[in-house]
Amino acid sequence: MKYYRSHVLVCVDPECLQKGAHELVDALQDELVATGLIDEVQVLETSRIGGCSLGPEMMVYPEGVHYVGVTPDDVPYLVEEHFLKGRLVNKFQMPTTKVVDEELGAPTQKEVRIVLRNCGKIDPENIEDYIAEDGYQALAKVLTEMTPEEVIDTVLRSGLRGRGGAGFPTGKKWQFTRQAPGEIKYVVCNADEGDPGAFMNRRVLEGDPHSVIEGMIIAAYAIGAHQGYIYCRAEYPVAVSTLNIAIQQARNLGLLGKDILGSGFDFDLEVRMGAGAFVCGEETALIASIEGRRGEPRPRPPFPAVQGLWNKPTNVNNVETYANIPQIILKGAEWYAGYGTEKSKGTKTFALAGDLNHTGLIEVPLGITLREIIYDVGGGIKDGKAFKAVQIGGPMGGCVPAEYLDLPLDYESLAQAGTIMGSGGMIVLDEDTCMVDVARYFMDFTQDESCGKCTPCRVGTRRILEILTRICDGKGQDGDIELLENLCQEIRTNSLCGLGQGAPNPVVSTLRYFRDEYEAHIYEKRCPAKVCRSLIRYEILPDACTGCTVCARNCPVNAISGERRQTHVIDPDTCIRCGICMQVCNFNAVVIE
Amino acid sequence: MPTIKSLDDLKRIREEALEKRKVKTASGQVQVIVGMGTCGIAAGARDAMKAILETIQNENLEGVIVTQTGCIGLCEKEPIVQVVVGDQPKVTYGKVSPEVARQIMQEHVKNGNVVKEYMIQV
């Protein structure tokens, strides 16, 4: 490769193009030829650097100088100063107060897209589009060049771990399933994404279904299976229809069915729809549901790798796990292991939700800090408020407070902080959030979704919910915190499946980091975040009230009294704390006490 | 389409697909890509799509290919519409209501001027 002492990256995003980026590139090229520097300095085109509003913009390396507003006429001067004499040209430098265009949002260079590489880029209903992006090349490589053992070895070396949440090494799981005795084996894809606020898998299924299908065929080849099932929740109708179209197209091309690519390997795939039960995301309940039985978990061991679907060895992986496989095969285990931390390799998708400026889906290398995710990728907390906690891992996860913001994210560090990786839901909470209320919300969810097979989960989650509701209603009693702790411990150790074992996590983690809020609710009958209705009181500030009567006219229970042009008063006994008076007041006279 | 029976078949299909793409861009055709994931549909992508197809019919626009894609990750900006004119870089628009979609078709697709106020960075 040719060596250049300097690289000039010129932004050719639409906005810069309009401002003459191409003309700038041409002028730079011409000037570098004229000055004889063309063999030393390379001009490249790139996407947005961050100053398009002042464009055209360019970045000069190795110095890392960011120039903006350079016209072709300025080029001779710039080249002479910067590249010949080696002096920075101050007048073109990007102003130090960073101009971040509100509309466009912050650039998110911290993202690395492996699973999501094709999402939003290809037409998911056209298999040719996927093939054009190197689709099914990994399958071809596996079927023509590799033995099943080599495939498993590659996946093992890549360090890929189950992306459904528990983080079991994928290669190991494949190995166990391959080694399990039996002629008939199955591969199953868990696409029963049920965590509130999580939609990573949906995006992959809707945007790039073939990557999951290809990953599953490769897994089937590695473990020796000839039939696979994708268990997708019925609440994802678009994903189900995209998947069915994709499967049909793959069949038509002979990528599914008998004698795939002339290798003699047979494999076919079917979509099975769930019926809306959250617990069916648990692998043994999922298997029961595919078999046509009630979706209830059973004790493990035996693990599905030994005794799964119809009691045959079955490999169950998450959507995201399978979607990683083709890239690992194509680019190599070492490439994949180059991302991430020592024990957690690769990237992970997260669904960012909550009080953030930029919510949505992201894919970042593991080992990134929460601060980078929340402030750099997510654009920080809405309305300039303070960060309070982030709820990671869905209803089985926990809340992590500000002191863990610089924690490098991986399976182990999250466990240490009292939560789980989970499937990747990330709900950011600002200072106006009541942590007891958050715990109550998640407990309401798990209590509702408990399948009822085992007592600790069925009865225990209900008892916890009752206590939390009591505390939020201002009827908390001395000893409630200890009772909660005891209950959590019992449910965690005695429940049958991951749902019950993880259900106490939101309570345990909020008790660990925000115990003072529980105490304020119980002993002082006060909600510090001013959220719990029974513990707050709306009041009208006499100095700010103009007596306009808007609040009194809008109050649904007639709790507000007062003459026109006189200060109004709220009767706390009648008030139902709906907050309408606060919303309609034009003078900010209504406050929460 | 014949089935793929060997590595060479797969390679050929890949080459053909890439070639088709090149033809699209080289001939100056316009591609309008609508994000039709669940988030897009929920935010009104179907209405935007309808408005786009209507405009093409009413204005008798030629050489415009309308396709769909999945979610690109900016769900809060949905419905998202991407416009690629010939070999120029892709322009992405957010919060595309039917009115905005008509405006994009008129100004960008027909007249070649980017509608800056609805452009978003991806």
Side-chain angles (χ1 to χ4, degrees):
Chain A
M1 211 177 99
K2 204 167 165 185
Y3 175 79
Y4 292 96
R5 73 171 161 96
S6 182
H7 291 87
V8 184
L9 277 64
V10 181
C11 165
V12 288
D13 256 26
E15 193 171 348
C16 279
L17 276 183
Q18 280 199 322
K19 291 174 176 168
H22 272 159
E23 291 77 3
L24 176 63
V25 171
D26 292 343
L28 275 168
Q29 292 280 17
D30 293 347
E31 189 62 25
L32 289 171
V33 171
T35 50
L37 290 172
I38 195 70
D39 289 330
E40 297 171 35
V41 181
Q42 190 180 24
V43 181
L44 298 163
E45 295 186 356
T46 184
S47 68
R48 189 169 190 268
I49 303 167
C52 288
S53 51
L54 302 173
E57 59 173 342
M58 58 194 243
M59 197 76 164
V60 185
Y61 288 108
E63 298 94 329
V65 185
H66 190 176
Y67 289 132
V68 289
V70 186
T71 64
D73 293 340
D74 300 323
V75 166
Y77 174 71
L78 186 80
V79 169
E80 186 183 335
E81 283 293 305
H82 191 114
F83 297 104
L84 271 180
K85 298 180 182 165
R87 293 197 288 236
L88 300 189
V89 186
N90 285 330
K91 71 169 176 177
F92 295 125
Q93 276 207 54
M94 178 83 173
T96 39
T97 44
K98 217 171 158 195
V99 182
V100 178
D101 200 320
E102 277 292 301
E103 257 322 285
L104 302 184
T108 52
Q109 282 115 350
K110 302 220 159 154
E111 284 193 70
V112 175
R113 296 193 167 183
I114 297 173
V115 174
L116 304 177
R117 68 190 182 282
N118 287 332
C119 290
K121 197 170 146 194
I122 63 169
D123 181 351
E125 297 186 358
N126 184 350
I127 192 169
E128 281 179 38
D129 246 22
Y130 179 66
I131 293 176
E133 298 289 340
D134 292 334
Y136 291 106
Q137 298 285 327
L139 177 67
K141 184 174 168 188
V142 163
L143 292 182
T144 53
E145 296 171 17
M146 297 170 83
T147 63
E149 287 77 16
E150 283 170 350
V151 176
I152 292 177
D153 181 59
T154 306
V155 176
L156 266 178
R157 279 187 295 118
S158 75
L160 175 65
R161 296 171 64 171
R163 293 291 187 248
F168 191 80
T170 307
K172 276 230 176 82
K173 204 184 242 185
W174 290 16
Q175 211 166 32
F176 289 148
T177 319
R178 176 162 188 82
Q179 286 163 355
E183 279 292 297
I184 301 172
K185 293 176 184 180
Y186 296 103
V187 287
V188 170
C189 174
N190 185 346
D192 192 62
E193 186 176 45
D195 289 1
F199 44 96
M200 299 77 53
N201 294 348
R202 188 185 76 200
R203 177 177 178 201
V204 176
L205 295 171
E206 288 177 359
D208 194 14
H210 287 288
S211 68
V212 180
I213 295 172
E214 189 180 2
M216 286 187 77
I217 308 174
I218 294 171
Y221 174 75
I223 68 165
H226 301 290
Q227 176 66 42
Y229 294 95
I230 300 178
Y231 187 83
C232 186
R233 62 193 306 221
E235 292 92 329
Y236 284 178
V238 179
V240 171
S241 105
T242 323
L243 269 174
N244 279 323
I245 293 170
I247 290 174
Q248 196 50 50
Q249 287 179 341
R251 265 192 212 131
N252 291 347
L253 282 181
L255 294 165
L256 279 173
K258 299 255 176 249
D259 191 20
I260 296 170
L261 292 173
S263 66
F265 176 67
D266 307 335
F267 181 71
D268 210 343
L269 202 52
E270 253 179 63
V271 177
R272 288 292 166 99
M273 284 199 316
F278 178 70
V279 75
C280 287
E282 199 279 341
E283 56 181 9
T284 58
L286 183 150
I287 286 170
S289 177
I290 295 182
E291 290 174 354
R293 293 186 288 122
R294 177 189 279 239
E296 284 179 344
R298 61 157 176 83
R300 296 177 306 176
F303 285 91
V306 181
Q307 218 177 77
L309 200 54
W310 292 297
N311 289 327
K312 308 288 185 215
T314 304
N315 180 70
V316 185
N317 279 138
N318 167 268
V319 170
E320 193 180 337
T321 315
Y322 284 123
N324 270 305
I325 299 293
Q327 289 295 298
I328 291 174
I329 299 288
L330 268 188
K331 297 190 176 166
E334 288 67 30
W335 164 79
Y336 190 78
Y339 296 104
T341 64
E342 195 195 331
K343 286 186 174 166
S344 305
K345 304 292 188 197
T347 59
K348 175 82 192 80
T349 56
F350 289 100
L352 284 184
D355 306 317
L356 270 177
N357 278 322
H358 304 298
T359 53
L361 278 169
I362 59 164
E363 180 173 356
V364 287
L366 289 164
I368 192 171
T369 64
L370 280 171
R371 188 184 300 278
E372 285 173 292
I373 291 184
I374 292 166
Y375 288 93
D376 297 342
V377 183
I381 310 291
K382 249 187 204 163
D383 303 327
K385 291 202 172 141
F387 168 84
K388 184 163 188 178
V390 53
Q391 211 280 346
I392 308 173
M396 267 87 250
C399 294
V400 177
E403 61 199 87
Y404 285 98
L405 271 179
D406 291 311
L407 186 80
L409 218 57
D410 66 21
Y411 290 93
E412 280 72 28
S413 66
L414 282 175
Q416 238 172 29
T419 181
I420 54 168
M421 181 74 77
S423 57
M426 210 176 250
I427 302 169
V428 178
L429 308 168
D430 71 10
E431 54 189 326
D432 292 339
T433 317
C434 169
M435 299 313 285
V436 186
D437 186 53
V438 167
R440 193 190 56 78
Y441 167 78
F442 281 108
M443 200 42 74
D444 189 31
F445 180 86
T446 38
Q447 182 269 137
D448 204 35
E449 292 291 352
S450 171
C451 76
K453 187 174 181 179
C454 71
T455 318
C457 175
R458 181 184 68 240
V459 181
T461 52
R462 171 146 284 219
R463 289 289 93 82
I464 291 188
L465 177 64
E466 283 169 5
I467 298 170
L468 290 175
T469 310
R470 175 160 93 205
I471 295 176
C472 289
D473 284 347
K475 294 173 189 149
Q477 302 158 6
D478 191 17
D480 271 356
I481 293 181
E482 292 71 22
L483 186 57
L484 278 177
E485 283 174 331
N486 191 12
L487 263 172
C488 288
Q489 182 60 28
E490 295 290 334
I491 297 170
R492 186 182 267 182
T493 43
N494 295 320
S495 289
L496 186 58
C497 79
L499 196 154
Q501 288 156 12
N505 277 345
V507 183
V508 173
S509 64
T510 44
L511 270 173
R512 176 168 158 191
Y513 299 117
F514 302 97
R515 201 185 183 91
D516 53 325
E517 288 194 29
Y518 281 86
E519 287 168 352
H521 279 74
I522 296 172
Y523 300 110
E524 301 166 34
K525 305 290 175 213
R526 182 172 68 83
C527 176
K530 298 182 177 173
V531 171
C532 296
R533 283 190 180 183
S534 307
L535 298 175
I536 55 171
R537 215 165 26 133
Y538 284 88
E539 272 184 13
I540 295 173
L541 297 173
D543 293 345
C545 180
T546 60
C548 70
T549 74
V550 163
C551 57
R553 277 184 280 127
N554 281 286
C555 179
V557 290
N558 295 322
I560 304 177
S561 55
E563 291 297 312
R564 180 172 279 276
R565 294 181 208 284
Q566 300 289 317
T567 302
H568 282 50
V569 184
I570 302 174
D571 173 16
D573 294 331
T574 320
C575 173
I576 53 166
R577 280 101 181 159
C578 65
I580 289 177
C581 50
M582 197 170 180
Q583 283 167 23
V584 296
C585 180
N586 293 320
F587 308 99
N588 295 325
V590 183
V591 291
I592 301 176
E593 277 304 311
Chain B
M1 199 183 286
T3 55
I4 303 177
K5 272 290 152 229
S6 66
L7 205 52
D8 292 333
D9 287 351
L10 184 64
K11 276 201 183 119
R12 189 175 40 80
I13 291 196
R14 179 166 173 270
E15 297 304 322
E16 282 171 10
L18 285 172
E19 194 56 36
K20 263 189 213 165
R21 261 194 208 176
K22 238 196 254 164
V23 172
K24 273 185 200 169
T25 53
S27 60
Q29 274 183 322
V30 181
Q31 296 178 63
V32 180
I33 306 157
V34 186
M36 294 285 265
T38 294
C39 48
I41 293 171
R46 286 213 174 99
D47 298 329
M49 176 73 110
K50 241 195 257 163
I52 289 168
L53 295 174
E54 272 169 23
T55 319
I56 291 176
Q57 205 172 15
N58 296 344
E59 301 277 328
N60 279 326
L61 297 179
E62 278 179 14
V64 181
I65 303 163
V66 181
T67 55
Q68 51 175 295
T69 191
C71 159
I72 68 167
L74 285 163
C75 311
E76 59 162 11
K77 305 271 193 219
E78 293 281 358
I80 287 174
V81 171
Q82 302 173 323
V83 178
V84 187
V85 180
D87 54 359
Q88 289 172 29
K90 184 185 278 182
V91 178
T92 307
Y93 295 105
K95 305 217 167 172
V96 181
S97 63
E99 290 73 44
V100 178
R102 279 187 274 272
Q103 194 185 341
I104 292 169
M105 294 305 286
Q106 279 294 342
E107 292 182 20
H108 191 168
V109 176
K110 198 174 167 199
N111 301 330
N113 300 320
V114 175
V115 187
K116 270 170 84 179
E117 45 184 315
Y118 296 104
M119 234 169 71
I120 56 169
Q121 178 61 37
V122 286

